[in-house]
Amino acid sequence: MTATAMDETLSTQAVGRVWMRTETADGRTVFVLRNRLSDVPVRRPVDVTYPSGRRGRLRLLGFDEATVATPLDDDWRIGASGVPGWWPAILAVPTLRPFRVPADLAAALRDAGIDLEAFPMLGQRRHAASWVRSAEPGPVRQQRIAAVVAAAVDYLEAGQGRHAESARGQR
């Protein structure tokens, strides 16, 4: 069975300059980002360049209203310690592994007039593809494909997709 490649292979990509503030909660240091990062994978280590030029590693955690980062090493003590208020940092996200959308899922979505790219979260696209791919050809796989298509239709009709208006107009 062939698969359709999604353009999700990223090299180490600089998110660019972000503004952070150091906070301490329960004896742990966290960095609160001024702007929420939505298309950056969370819970994976990322490289950071602190205001001092020192480099370190952080783990990003995404929440509904904010993105926070926890230091994975003690380099932040030299790189950002004592910097008052908001301070700039540069984040670099590691390479994401590519994934393949099974051809039968891609065809079913295309037949329903749905572009998988309409889903703003990479995790949703990856999860849908891997869930279908994990089923052998047969009735279970067809049920999963139907469930993904139905969920995509509901998602877009609720106006939640990145291209909801254009995707709805194509069906």
Side-chain angles (χ1 to χ4, degrees):
M1 183 165 286
T2 62
T4 303
M6 293 297 295
D7 189 18
E8 297 294 348
T9 307
L10 302 175
S11 59
T12 299
Q13 137 191 4
V15 171
R17 181 176 288 203
V18 295
W19 290 90
M20 296 189 195
R21 180 181 73 229
T22 307
E23 291 189 8
T24 304
D26 298 325
R28 301 183 92 198
T29 299
V30 296
F31 305 130
V32 178
L33 279 70
R34 182 179 285 170
N35 296 320
R36 184 176 178 274
L37 302 178
S38 58
D39 278 347
V40 174
V42 294
R43 298 194 177 141
R44 290 192 179 148
V46 298
D47 294 324
V48 60
T49 303
Y50 294 107
S52 67
R54 188 159 189 113
R55 293 174 188 256
R57 303 276 285 165
L58 303 173
R59 182 174 316 280
L60 296 177
L61 302 171
F63 298 100
D64 289 340
E65 300 297 323
T67 301
V68 298
T70 58
L72 297 177
D73 51 37
D74 283 335
D75 290 338
W76 71 270
R77 296 182 192 279
I78 297 168
S81 183
V83 179
W86 294 98
W87 45 270
I90 298 174
L91 297 182
V93 179
T95 303
L96 293 176
R97 64 187 185 280
F99 72 97
R100 303 249 178 226
V101 175
D104 49 357
L105 174 59
L109 288 167
R110 192 173 41 254
D111 291 346
I114 297 170
D115 180 10
L116 195 57
E117 291 294 320
F119 297 95
M121 302 299 285
L122 171 62
Q124 291 172 330
R125 297 191 301 258
R126 187 180 300 276
H127 177 74
S130 65
W131 187 53
V132 169
R133 191 180 324 99
S134 68
E136 295 292 323
V140 171
R141 187 176 181 107
Q142 292 308 312
Q143 289 170 349
R144 290 184 181 186
I145 290 170
V148 169
V149 171
V153 168
D154 290 347
Y155 188 80
L156 293 173
E157 286 179 352
Q160 296 176 340
R162 184 170 42 202
H163 309 291
E165 289 301 318
S166 63
R168 258 186 271 143
Q170 292 173 359
R171 286 194 314 208

